[in-house]
Amino acid sequence: MKLRGVAYIFFAGALVLAGLGLGIVRAPLSQAPASASSTPARQFNPADATTTPGYYSVVRVIDGDTLVIWKDGDEITVRLIGIDTPEVVDPRKPVECFGPEASAEGKKLLTGQDVRAVPDPSQDQYDKYGRMLAYIYLPSGLFYNEFMIAPGFAHEYTYGKAYEFQKE
């Protein structure tokens, strides 16, 4: 019985540390872009899409683990590899605890950005819903997938098979 209590305390402590984001990930929290201003998000205009090779303009952020990019003249929905954020948009499910905060953080970091969407050769190119599977990097080099885990906006998520950065 004592061992079970110790395990619960250890687990709770780990959650607190993850929620505080105490430098657990490779990319320090200080690399996060400055907070977006309080001005409303700009509407995406395809004429403004990046022409930088390897980068794609973010059309919109659906939630903390899904976004839409402009790729080759089309809107492509991207599901991020290795993370899962609390649900906020699935009409079949209630909004989950901390979901609005995770979604807001994703919007703050990605809205108006040009990002690199990098596939993982160990994964399928698309998931069962037709979403492109990728890692997202901001122009600053920030690895968005990993960054979202440190402060607790997302948790590690493996769907089916191990992925490239799973052990990090």
Side-chain angles (χ1 to χ4, degrees):
M1 197 66 164
K2 283 185 179 182
L3 184 56
R4 179 183 265 175
V6 170
Y8 286 129
I9 291 170
F10 177 77
F11 181 72
L15 286 175
V16 169
L17 288 175
L20 294 175
L22 297 177
I24 296 170
V25 296
R26 177 174 28 126
L29 297 178
S30 61
Q31 285 186 5
S35 176
S37 68
S38 59
T39 58
R42 69 174 176 89
Q43 197 69 284
F44 178 76
N45 180 350
D48 296 334
T50 185
T51 56
T52 305
Y55 281 84
Y56 305 100
S57 296
V58 174
V59 175
R60 69 184 165 280
V61 179
I62 295 173
D63 60 21
D65 58 31
T66 309
L67 65 141
V68 178
I69 60 172
W70 187 256
K71 181 179 179 189
D72 302 326
D74 287 316
E75 289 187 6
I76 305 294
T77 302
V78 179
R79 173 63 168 87
L80 303 179
I81 299 170
I83 70 170
D84 188 39
T85 59
E87 197 58 58
V88 293
V89 295
D90 189 334
R92 301 166 298 167
K93 298 180 181 178
V95 172
E96 294 178 335
C97 182
F98 209 53
E101 293 84 354
S103 184
E105 185 71 6
K107 289 176 181 176
K108 180 179 86 174
L109 292 172
L110 298 172
T111 298
Q113 294 286 326
D114 294 330
V115 298
R116 286 190 307 128
V118 180
D120 185 331
S122 72
Q123 303 295 302
D124 294 330
Q125 188 173 359
Y126 295 92
D127 70 5
K128 64 183 180 181
Y129 303 107
R131 301 175 296 188
M132 180 179 153
L133 297 172
Y135 300 111
I136 295 294
Y137 292 88
L138 278 75
S140 66
L142 180 76
F143 181 21
Y144 175 82
N145 303 50
E146 186 178 52
F147 173 83
M148 289 293 282
I149 293 173
F153 291 112
H155 67 270
E156 186 279 334
Y157 177 73
T158 303
Y159 179 79
K161 50 190 169 181
Y163 54 92
E164 183 177 355
F165 296 109
Q166 187 168 21
K167 293 182 181 178
E168 292 184 15

